[in-house]
Amino acid sequence: MELWLLNNLPTTAIAAVIVGGVIILAVAGSALTHRMHPQLADGEHNDMVGVVLGMYGAIYGIILAFVVVTLWTQVQDADAVVQSEASSLAQLTWDSEVFPPARRDRVHAAVGAYTHKVVDVQWPLMRTGKPRYSVAQQQMRDLFTSLQTYEPRTEREKAFYRKATDDLNEVVTQRRARMTIAGQELPGLLKTLVYGGALAFIPLTFLYGISSRRVQLLFVGSVAALIGFSLLLVVVLDHPFAGNISVDTAAYKVGPLAQFW
């Protein structure tokens, strides 16, 4: 459901659905509760309800903060991995410039084929949260073959050959890391705490009595808006390669890699 929303709706629409939905449900629930139990407006139990809200809010706030920070760190890691993989491919392209023309062109062709496979085929799969390691596997073999079947002759070629080999090994490392991140999502237990905590916390605000109905609804709505926005962050950040706010493929199309597009 989350991936469908991210891949089919703009972020503003998702915000309207999640934040707006939480606010509407909270306000409607509060109005219904006070209509059925008008004595709540007297605030007879406000001392007890206030203590519970404060304690529960502190615990739930810590959980939300931990989840959001963890997910934001994951997004940053995903971007760093993509930048590192693209940089290694670019360096490999530059390093191969000292090879004989035929070998250089073979390396360039392999880099271009791999880059296109990642962007055109693997990226859409990553957006769905189902990356396939087998995609671009043949192109990766071709990259290794383009170097393994070449015997450098001059010292200059040998130096750049060693550097190109290191670059290719780095591509392999970052490729695996990228697909690992693309297949990860928030563990079920944390999802239960985040979404279940919201379902438990918002109804508690209904019990806090305020004589003015308008102020009561404003109080409940503001709490619901804060929780709704936090849930929006969780949804958006949980999938670094999906949605409008995600890691894109721009790094594979600039610098030396631009010649392959």
Side-chain angles (χ1 to χ4, degrees):
M1 182 62 177
E2 292 177 358
L3 284 169
W4 186 90
L5 288 173
L6 290 171
N7 291 322
N8 291 277
L9 296 177
T11 304
T12 51
I14 298 174
V17 171
I18 296 178
V19 180
V22 171
I23 293 175
I24 291 172
L25 289 175
V27 170
S30 177
L32 180 61
T33 301
H34 280 259
R35 178 174 297 181
M36 296 176 62
H37 305 282
Q39 68 274 17
L40 289 174
D42 297 334
E44 181 181 352
H45 305 292
N46 278 3
D47 290 341
M48 180 187 68
V49 174
V51 171
V52 174
L53 280 174
M55 180 180 65
Y56 197 100
I59 296 173
Y60 185 61
I62 292 173
I63 294 172
L64 271 180
F66 169 76
V67 170
V68 170
V69 170
T70 299
L71 293 179
W72 175 244
T73 301
Q74 177 179 282
V75 172
Q76 291 180 311
D77 291 343
D79 184 65
V81 164
V82 168
Q83 295 294 334
S84 180
E85 181 183 17
S87 296
S88 296
L89 287 168
Q91 291 168 1
L92 174 58
T93 303
W94 280 119
D95 292 336
S96 63
E97 290 289 338
V98 303
F99 299 163
R103 179 59 55 173
R104 177 201 62 205
D105 292 344
R106 182 173 179 180
V107 173
H108 284 194
V111 172
Y114 174 78
T115 304
H116 272 275
K117 199 73 172 181
V118 168
V119 173
D120 298 335
V121 180
Q122 199 166 63
W123 219 266
L125 293 173
M126 290 165 57
R127 288 176 64 87
T128 65
K130 298 178 181 179
R132 288 169 49 194
Y133 193 81
S134 59
V135 173
Q137 186 71 9
Q138 183 58 51
Q139 286 71 25
M140 179 58 68
R141 289 196 184 97
D142 292 341
L143 273 170
F144 272 95
T145 301
S146 68
L147 292 180
Q148 290 172 342
T149 57
Y150 174 59
E151 186 67 36
R153 297 179 180 179
T154 66
E155 290 301 319
R156 181 165 175 261
E157 288 182 2
K158 290 178 180 178
F160 279 95
Y161 180 84
R162 288 191 293 270
K163 184 64 175 66
T165 302
D166 291 339
D167 293 335
L168 184 53
N169 288 333
E170 184 65 19
V171 170
V172 173
T173 300
Q174 300 304 330
R175 174 174 178 253
R176 182 178 291 275
R178 168 171 53 79
M179 287 188 292
T180 298
I181 295 174
Q184 291 178 337
E185 63 177 1
L186 201 64
L189 179 59
L190 282 178
K191 280 189 176 183
T192 301
L193 286 173
V194 169
Y195 297 119
L199 290 175
F201 182 66
I202 292 178
L204 286 176
T205 62
F206 304 168
L207 304 179
Y208 196 83
I210 301 177
S211 57
S212 172
R213 180 63 60 86
R214 182 175 298 179
V215 175
Q216 167 70 25
L217 294 179
L218 181 62
F219 165 67
V220 172
S222 60
V223 173
L226 180 60
I227 292 178
F229 187 75
S230 299
L231 296 180
L232 173 65
L233 285 177
V234 172
V235 171
V236 172
L237 298 178
D238 194 20
H239 304 281
F241 297 100
N244 297 136
I245 304 176
S246 61
V247 181
D248 59 28
T249 60
Y252 298 94
K253 301 178 180 180
V254 296
L257 302 181
Q259 62 184 297
F260 305 124
W261 298 92

